[in-house]
Structure formats: structure tokens, C-alpha cells
Short mmCIF file of all heavy atoms in Angstrom, two decimals:
data_model
loop_
_atom_site.label_atom_id
_atom_site.label_comp_id
_atom_site.label_asym_id
_atom_site.label_seq_id
_atom_site.Cartn_x
_atom_site.Cartn_y
_atom_site.Cartn_z
N GLU A 1 12.29 10.14 40.55
CA GLU A 1 12.74 11.01 41.64
C GLU A 1 12.78 10.25 42.97
O GLU A 1 12.58 10.84 44.03
CB GLU A 1 11.83 12.24 41.72
CG GLU A 1 11.89 13.10 40.46
CD GLU A 1 11.03 14.36 40.52
OE1 GLU A 1 10.31 14.57 41.51
OE2 GLU A 1 11.09 15.15 39.55
N GLY A 2 13.05 8.96 42.89
CA GLY A 2 13.15 8.14 44.08
C GLY A 2 13.95 6.89 43.75
O GLY A 2 14.59 6.81 42.70
N ASP A 3 13.90 5.91 44.63
CA ASP A 3 14.64 4.68 44.40
C ASP A 3 13.81 3.48 44.84
O ASP A 3 12.64 3.62 45.24
CB ASP A 3 16.00 4.71 45.11
CG ASP A 3 15.88 4.93 46.62
OD1 ASP A 3 14.82 4.61 47.20
OD2 ASP A 3 16.86 5.43 47.23
N ALA A 4 14.41 2.29 44.75
CA ALA A 4 13.68 1.06 45.06
C ALA A 4 13.19 1.03 46.49
O ALA A 4 12.12 0.50 46.78
CB ALA A 4 14.57 -0.15 44.76
N ARG A 5 13.98 1.60 47.41
CA ARG A 5 13.55 1.61 48.81
C ARG A 5 12.29 2.46 48.98
O ARG A 5 11.37 2.09 49.73
CB ARG A 5 14.67 2.13 49.71
CG ARG A 5 14.40 1.96 51.19
CD ARG A 5 15.66 2.12 52.02
NE ARG A 5 16.68 1.13 51.69
CZ ARG A 5 16.66 -0.13 52.13
NH1 ARG A 5 15.68 -0.54 52.92
NH2 ARG A 5 17.63 -0.96 51.80
N ASP A 6 12.23 3.59 48.28
CA ASP A 6 11.01 4.42 48.31
C ASP A 6 9.81 3.64 47.78
O ASP A 6 8.73 3.65 48.38
CB ASP A 6 11.20 5.68 47.46
CG ASP A 6 12.29 6.59 47.99
OD1 ASP A 6 12.42 6.71 49.22
OD2 ASP A 6 13.01 7.19 47.16
N MET A 7 10.01 2.98 46.64
CA MET A 7 8.89 2.25 46.04
C MET A 7 8.47 1.07 46.89
O MET A 7 7.27 0.77 47.00
CB MET A 7 9.26 1.79 44.63
CG MET A 7 8.11 1.12 43.88
SD MET A 7 6.61 2.14 43.67
CE MET A 7 7.10 3.18 42.28
N TYR A 8 9.42 0.41 47.52
CA TYR A 8 9.07 -0.72 48.40
C TYR A 8 8.18 -0.22 49.54
O TYR A 8 7.15 -0.86 49.86
CB TYR A 8 10.34 -1.37 48.96
CG TYR A 8 10.03 -2.60 49.79
CD1 TYR A 8 9.89 -3.85 49.20
CD2 TYR A 8 9.84 -2.50 51.17
CE1 TYR A 8 9.59 -4.97 49.96
CE2 TYR A 8 9.54 -3.61 51.93
CZ TYR A 8 9.41 -4.84 51.32
OH TYR A 8 9.09 -5.95 52.08
N ARG A 9 8.55 0.89 50.13
CA ARG A 9 7.73 1.44 51.22
C ARG A 9 6.32 1.76 50.74
O ARG A 9 5.33 1.46 51.42
CB ARG A 9 8.39 2.71 51.77
CG ARG A 9 7.66 3.33 52.97
CD ARG A 9 8.25 4.67 53.36
NE ARG A 9 8.00 5.69 52.35
CZ ARG A 9 6.87 6.38 52.26
NH1 ARG A 9 5.86 6.15 53.09
NH2 ARG A 9 6.72 7.30 51.32
N ILE A 10 6.23 2.34 49.55
CA ILE A 10 4.93 2.70 48.99
C ILE A 10 4.09 1.44 48.74
O ILE A 10 2.91 1.37 49.12
CB ILE A 10 5.12 3.49 47.68
CG1 ILE A 10 5.67 4.89 47.98
CG2 ILE A 10 3.82 3.58 46.90
CD1 ILE A 10 6.27 5.57 46.76
N LEU A 11 4.70 0.45 48.10
CA LEU A 11 3.94 -0.74 47.71
C LEU A 11 3.49 -1.56 48.92
O LEU A 11 2.36 -2.05 48.95
CB LEU A 11 4.78 -1.62 46.78
CG LEU A 11 5.11 -1.05 45.40
CD1 LEU A 11 5.99 -2.02 44.63
CD2 LEU A 11 3.83 -0.74 44.62
N PHE A 12 4.39 -1.69 49.91
CA PHE A 12 4.10 -2.63 50.99
C PHE A 12 3.60 -1.98 52.27
O PHE A 12 2.99 -2.65 53.10
CB PHE A 12 5.34 -3.50 51.26
CG PHE A 12 5.58 -4.47 50.14
CD1 PHE A 12 6.44 -4.13 49.09
CD2 PHE A 12 4.92 -5.67 50.09
CE1 PHE A 12 6.64 -5.00 48.03
CE2 PHE A 12 5.11 -6.55 49.03
CZ PHE A 12 5.97 -6.22 48.00
N HIS A 13 3.81 -0.68 52.43
CA HIS A 13 3.35 -0.01 53.64
C HIS A 13 2.19 0.95 53.38
O HIS A 13 1.61 1.48 54.33
CB HIS A 13 4.51 0.73 54.32
CG HIS A 13 5.58 -0.20 54.80
ND1 HIS A 13 5.49 -0.93 55.95
CD2 HIS A 13 6.77 -0.54 54.24
CE1 HIS A 13 6.57 -1.68 56.11
NE2 HIS A 13 7.36 -1.46 55.08
N ILE A 14 1.87 1.17 52.11
CA ILE A 14 0.75 2.06 51.79
C ILE A 14 -0.27 1.31 50.91
O ILE A 14 -1.38 1.00 51.35
CB ILE A 14 1.23 3.35 51.08
CG1 ILE A 14 2.21 4.12 51.98
CG2 ILE A 14 0.05 4.24 50.71
CD1 ILE A 14 2.86 5.32 51.32
N ILE A 15 0.12 0.98 49.70
CA ILE A 15 -0.84 0.43 48.74
C ILE A 15 -1.34 -0.95 49.16
O ILE A 15 -2.55 -1.23 49.12
CB ILE A 15 -0.22 0.42 47.33
CG1 ILE A 15 -0.15 1.87 46.82
CG2 ILE A 15 -1.03 -0.45 46.37
CD1 ILE A 15 0.53 2.05 45.49
N SER A 16 -0.43 -1.83 49.58
CA SER A 16 -0.84 -3.19 49.96
C SER A 16 -1.71 -3.23 51.21
O SER A 16 -2.36 -4.25 51.48
CB SER A 16 0.38 -4.07 50.18
OG SER A 16 1.01 -4.38 48.97
N THR A 17 -1.70 -2.15 51.98
CA THR A 17 -2.51 -2.13 53.20
C THR A 17 -3.97 -1.75 52.92
O THR A 17 -4.81 -1.89 53.81
CB THR A 17 -1.93 -1.14 54.23
OG1 THR A 17 -2.02 0.20 53.72
CG2 THR A 17 -0.48 -1.47 54.54
N LEU A 18 -4.27 -1.31 51.71
CA LEU A 18 -5.66 -1.02 51.35
C LEU A 18 -6.43 -2.33 51.24
O LEU A 18 -5.85 -3.38 50.94
CB LEU A 18 -5.72 -0.25 50.03
CG LEU A 18 -5.00 1.11 49.99
CD1 LEU A 18 -5.07 1.69 48.59
CD2 LEU A 18 -5.60 2.07 51.00
N PRO A 19 -7.73 -2.30 51.47
CA PRO A 19 -8.52 -3.54 51.36
C PRO A 19 -8.37 -4.20 49.98
O PRO A 19 -8.26 -3.50 48.97
CB PRO A 19 -9.96 -3.07 51.59
CG PRO A 19 -9.82 -1.81 52.41
CD PRO A 19 -8.57 -1.15 51.91
N ASP A 20 -8.37 -5.53 49.97
CA ASP A 20 -8.15 -6.26 48.73
C ASP A 20 -9.20 -5.97 47.66
O ASP A 20 -8.93 -6.10 46.47
CB ASP A 20 -8.11 -7.77 48.99
CG ASP A 20 -6.77 -8.23 49.54
OD1 ASP A 20 -5.82 -7.41 49.58
OD2 ASP A 20 -6.66 -9.41 49.92
N ASP A 21 -10.41 -5.57 48.08
CA ASP A 21 -11.46 -5.31 47.09
C ASP A 21 -11.45 -3.87 46.57
O ASP A 21 -12.36 -3.46 45.84
CB ASP A 21 -12.84 -5.66 47.67
CG ASP A 21 -13.23 -4.79 48.86
OD1 ASP A 21 -12.40 -3.98 49.33
OD2 ASP A 21 -14.38 -4.93 49.34
N THR A 22 -10.41 -3.12 46.90
CA THR A 22 -10.28 -1.74 46.40
C THR A 22 -10.00 -1.77 44.90
O THR A 22 -9.07 -2.42 44.43
CB THR A 22 -9.12 -1.02 47.11
OG1 THR A 22 -9.36 -1.03 48.52
CG2 THR A 22 -8.99 0.41 46.62
N TRP A 23 -10.80 -1.05 44.15
CA TRP A 23 -10.57 -0.94 42.70
C TRP A 23 -9.33 -0.09 42.45
O TRP A 23 -9.14 0.94 43.10
CB TRP A 23 -11.77 -0.30 42.00
CG TRP A 23 -13.04 -1.09 42.08
CD1 TRP A 23 -14.16 -0.78 42.79
CD2 TRP A 23 -13.33 -2.32 41.40
NE1 TRP A 23 -15.12 -1.75 42.62
CE2 TRP A 23 -14.64 -2.70 41.77
CE3 TRP A 23 -12.60 -3.14 40.53
CZ2 TRP A 23 -15.24 -3.87 41.28
CZ3 TRP A 23 -13.20 -4.29 40.05
CH2 TRP A 23 -14.50 -4.65 40.43
N VAL A 24 -8.52 -0.51 41.48
CA VAL A 24 -7.30 0.22 41.13
C VAL A 24 -7.48 0.85 39.75
O VAL A 24 -7.69 0.15 38.75
CB VAL A 24 -6.07 -0.72 41.11
CG1 VAL A 24 -4.83 0.03 40.62
CG2 VAL A 24 -5.83 -1.31 42.48
N TYR A 25 -7.41 2.18 39.71
CA TYR A 25 -7.49 2.94 38.46
C TYR A 25 -6.16 3.65 38.25
O TYR A 25 -5.83 4.60 38.95
CB TYR A 25 -8.63 3.96 38.53
CG TYR A 25 -10.01 3.35 38.51
CD1 TYR A 25 -10.67 3.03 39.70
CD2 TYR A 25 -10.66 3.08 37.30
CE1 TYR A 25 -11.94 2.47 39.68
CE2 TYR A 25 -11.93 2.52 37.27
CZ TYR A 25 -12.56 2.22 38.47
OH TYR A 25 -13.82 1.65 38.43
N CYS A 26 -5.39 3.17 37.28
CA CYS A 26 -4.03 3.67 37.08
C CYS A 26 -3.96 4.71 35.97
O CYS A 26 -4.96 5.00 35.31
CB CYS A 26 -3.09 2.50 36.78
SG CYS A 26 -3.55 1.51 35.34
N GLY A 27 -2.77 5.25 35.74
CA GLY A 27 -2.60 6.39 34.86
C GLY A 27 -2.35 6.08 33.39
O GLY A 27 -2.42 6.98 32.55
N HIS A 28 -2.05 4.81 33.07
CA HIS A 28 -1.75 4.45 31.69
C HIS A 28 -2.27 3.06 31.36
O HIS A 28 -2.38 2.20 32.23
CB HIS A 28 -0.23 4.46 31.43
CG HIS A 28 0.38 5.81 31.42
ND1 HIS A 28 0.51 6.57 30.27
CD2 HIS A 28 0.91 6.56 32.42
CE1 HIS A 28 1.11 7.72 30.55
NE2 HIS A 28 1.35 7.74 31.86
N GLU A 29 -2.55 2.85 30.09
CA GLU A 29 -2.91 1.53 29.58
C GLU A 29 -1.63 0.81 29.14
O GLU A 29 -1.22 0.88 27.99
CB GLU A 29 -3.90 1.66 28.40
CG GLU A 29 -4.35 0.34 27.80
CD GLU A 29 -4.88 -0.63 28.84
OE1 GLU A 29 -5.90 -0.33 29.48
OE2 GLU A 29 -4.25 -1.70 29.01
N TYR A 30 -0.99 0.18 30.11
CA TYR A 30 0.25 -0.57 29.88
C TYR A 30 0.07 -2.06 30.14
O TYR A 30 1.05 -2.80 30.25
CB TYR A 30 1.36 -0.07 30.84
CG TYR A 30 1.90 1.32 30.59
CD1 TYR A 30 2.59 1.98 31.61
CD2 TYR A 30 1.77 1.96 29.37
CE1 TYR A 30 3.13 3.25 31.41
CE2 TYR A 30 2.29 3.23 29.18
CZ TYR A 30 2.96 3.87 30.19
OH TYR A 30 3.50 5.13 30.01
#
């Protein structure tokens, strides 16, 4: 329900701004 521009904003302006030592718990074992 979005596009690459949406995901780029999420990855680089939201998620990447969290501290590097933040644990990441995702939704699937992929």
C-alpha cells in the first residue's frame, strides 16, 4: 500500500535514526 519513496523515507528518516544498539524484533523468520 505504498511505494519505494515511502519505504525510503521510513528506512532513512525513521528507522535509521534510532540508536545503533536498538534491538530489532521483526514480524517473520525470513
Side-chain angles (χ1 to χ4, degrees):
E1 297 182 357
D3 57 24
R5 190 165 299 281
D6 296 323
M7 185 58 80
Y8 184 87
R9 183 187 68 83
I10 289 163
L11 294 178
F12 290 93
H13 296 281
I14 300 174
I15 288 176
S16 288
T17 65
L18 299 176
D20 280 352
D21 64 354
T22 303
W23 296 110
V24 175
Y25 289 92
C26 58
H28 289 269
E29 180 52 63
Y30 290 161

